[in-house]
Amino acid sequence: MQPAKFSRTLLDWYDHQGRKDLPWRQDISPYRVWISEIMLQQTQVKTVIPYFQRFMQYFPTLPDLANASEDEILHLWTGLGYYARARNMHRAAKTVLEHHAGNLPDSLQGLQSLPGVGRSTAGAILAISWNKRAPILDGNVKRVLTRFHTLSGSPSQASVAAKLWQYAEQYTPTTRVGDYTQAIMDLGARVCVRAHPRCHDCPLVKGCMAYKLGKTSAFPQPKTKKRIPVRSIRMLIFYEQRTQKVLLEKRPSTGVWGGLWSFPECPVDVGLEEWCRDKFGYSITNFQQLTTFKHIFTHFQLNITPLLLSWDQRMLRVMDSPHQVWYKLNNTNVLGLASPVKRLLEQLASLELT
């Protein structure tokens, strides 16, 4: 299929079938497009919608985002995952406010200089915001192009990615670039899906090699899977019955749940009483083990065992650290919480703790 026919066919489909009612496709601006594209990285549209709407309510402009605290941003991001995206977004907003007068750069190089903005994200912002011709290659587009050309190898391989970028460049039109960009992302998200693609609803089916060969399930070829390691931790729940507060700690800005608030974590291979006494000055008098559960990250599985602790409050050390806080159950304070912590807080609030 010739490139002009490819893009024209896709645009005709988008005119009749495209999701033009998505919130970031209303009142289009570079800021709104940027926020949506960052949120949509490795995250489904249906998950992103309520997060995007809340973000726009609290941070309607880029200066609002730049001037917000990290906790305010992470609080609204809680549950969306890949929290480095939120921290990078905050850094980028500050950079744009300081060096670009609050206006996102309108060039590929300028956008890619911002934290968290890669080539594909920059291309989407340029195309959708300013109708500038720039190819994109997110996961949905990779799947469409890989199947259309029965391209062997995993898209994560450098040689395969380079070929996909060539195809993306080849098919991107010179007009209606924004509509085309949204169209091909829409096609991958709704029709050319990972499992059980809806080929009979696809406007490109006549030119699709994977469909002709009956091999849509064989493409894209996955990268070799590695067995993910399993780690185990104990989350310590210091609960004050009188005030109905629990102790939370702010995690380092890098690493797992970077910058979020979590329960103190105790390694599974150390003595609990001695560890708590050395770190907090608390003498543990009793503890109740709650149900162990697992949390899956991209590269490992984390088994979490929560321990509800009782302690001798005569040993209570006065805390003056900005990285520790007594957090009231059913609190509405603006804190960024790790997802398992939010889950445990909700569970604790529903219990009658004595």
Side-chain angles (χ1 to χ4, degrees):
M1 185 181 290
Q2 293 297 313
K5 185 176 181 182
F6 184 101
S7 59
R8 186 170 61 250
T9 301
L10 201 48
L11 283 166
D12 288 343
W13 171 83
Y14 180 73
D15 287 340
H16 295 91
Q17 302 291 332
R19 289 181 293 183
K20 304 177 189 67
D21 59 341
L22 294 175
W24 47 87
R25 295 185 182 172
Q26 314 299 313
D27 301 320
I28 290 177
S29 70
Y31 173 68
R32 289 170 63 86
V33 172
W34 169 52
I35 298 297
S36 67
E37 288 300 319
I38 297 298
M39 288 186 169
L40 287 165
Q41 292 172 353
Q42 304 184 68
T43 310
Q44 293 184 343
V45 165
K46 65 181 180 181
T47 302
V48 167
I49 289 175
Y51 283 90
F52 178 83
Q53 291 172 324
R54 282 196 295 270
F55 242 73
M56 288 301 103
Q57 179 182 351
Y58 281 88
F59 312 123
T61 68
L62 188 144
D64 291 323
L65 178 62
N67 292 322
S69 69
E70 183 178 270
D71 273 329
E72 289 176 303
I73 294 168
L74 291 174
H75 174 71
L76 292 178
W77 201 276
T78 295
L80 196 56
Y82 300 101
Y83 293 93
R85 294 181 296 174
R87 298 194 301 274
N88 284 334
M89 181 188 296
H90 195 203
R91 288 170 53 211
K94 289 178 177 293
T95 298
V96 171
L97 189 61
E98 183 177 351
H99 298 290
H100 301 280
N103 299 310
L104 282 165
D106 60 356
S107 69
L108 199 64
Q109 182 179 3
L111 286 168
Q112 285 186 261
S113 71
L114 300 177
V117 179
R119 181 180 176 184
S120 184
T121 299
I125 296 169
L126 288 174
I128 299 171
S129 301
W130 292 289
N131 209 37
K132 290 191 174 185
R133 187 179 186 277
I136 68 159
L137 197 64
D138 73 349
N140 290 316
V141 178
K142 289 177 182 178
R143 190 163 53 251
V144 170
L145 296 179
T146 301
R147 282 175 173 160
F148 194 79
H149 290 281
T150 55
L151 187 58
S152 298
S154 168
S156 62
Q157 296 174 232
S159 59
V160 178
K163 190 64 179 176
L164 286 169
W165 274 113
Q166 289 179 19
Y167 287 137
E169 173 71 35
Q170 174 183 321
Y171 290 129
T172 302
T174 56
T175 60
R176 296 190 64 190
V177 184
D179 286 345
Y180 170 83
T181 297
Q182 296 185 114
I184 195 165
M185 289 192 292
D186 247 9
L187 187 74
R190 299 169 55 213
V191 177
C192 193
V193 293
R194 189 180 306 277
H196 310 297
R198 296 164 44 206
C199 297
H200 293 291
D201 295 326
C202 180
L204 303 175
V205 68
K206 290 183 179 179
C208 181
M209 291 301 298
Y211 177 76
K212 289 179 180 178
L213 297 173
K215 293 184 176 181
T216 54
S217 61
F219 297 92
Q221 294 175 357
K223 61 182 177 182
T224 303
K225 284 189 175 181
K226 297 180 181 179
R227 187 173 182 179
I228 64 172
V230 177
R231 304 178 191 173
S232 298
I233 60 165
R234 293 180 288 188
M235 281 190 173
L236 307 185
I237 305 173
F238 289 94
Y239 173 68
E240 274 195 327
Q241 181 181 349
R242 181 179 59 82
T243 60
Q244 293 190 313
K245 292 180 178 179
V246 294
L247 179 65
L248 297 182
E249 290 185 330
K250 191 175 180 67
R251 298 181 65 88
S253 60
T254 59
V256 174
W257 297 321
L260 298 177
W261 292 85
S262 181
F263 293 108
E265 293 179 10
C266 176
V268 297
D269 57 350
V270 301
L272 177 64
E273 291 82 359
E274 182 179 357
W275 188 88
C276 289
R277 187 164 52 249
D278 289 345
K279 180 169 182 178
F280 299 109
Y282 297 167
S283 181
I284 301 302
T285 58
N286 194 15
F287 69 87
Q288 176 185 352
Q289 180 173 315
L290 306 181
T291 303
T292 298
F293 62 96
K294 64 183 179 182
H295 186 81
I296 305 297
F297 293 94
T298 305
H299 302 297
F300 71 96
Q301 173 182 316
L302 184 64
N303 291 337
I304 300 170
T305 300
L307 301 180
L308 185 60
L309 305 178
S310 301
W311 73 98
D312 185 349
Q313 294 197 28
R314 291 175 299 177
M315 299 288 291
L316 182 62
R317 178 181 297 164
V318 176
M319 295 183 305
D320 57 4
S321 169
H323 301 293
Q324 293 177 321
V325 66
W326 285 100
Y327 186 85
K328 189 172 180 62
L329 297 181
N330 291 315
N331 204 337
T332 57
N333 280 2
V334 179
L335 290 182
L337 301 171
S339 294
V341 173
K342 183 178 180 183
R343 168 181 170 179
L344 283 170
L345 288 171
E346 291 171 348
Q347 179 182 341
L348 291 169
S350 67
L351 298 175
E352 292 186 6
L353 299 173
T354 58

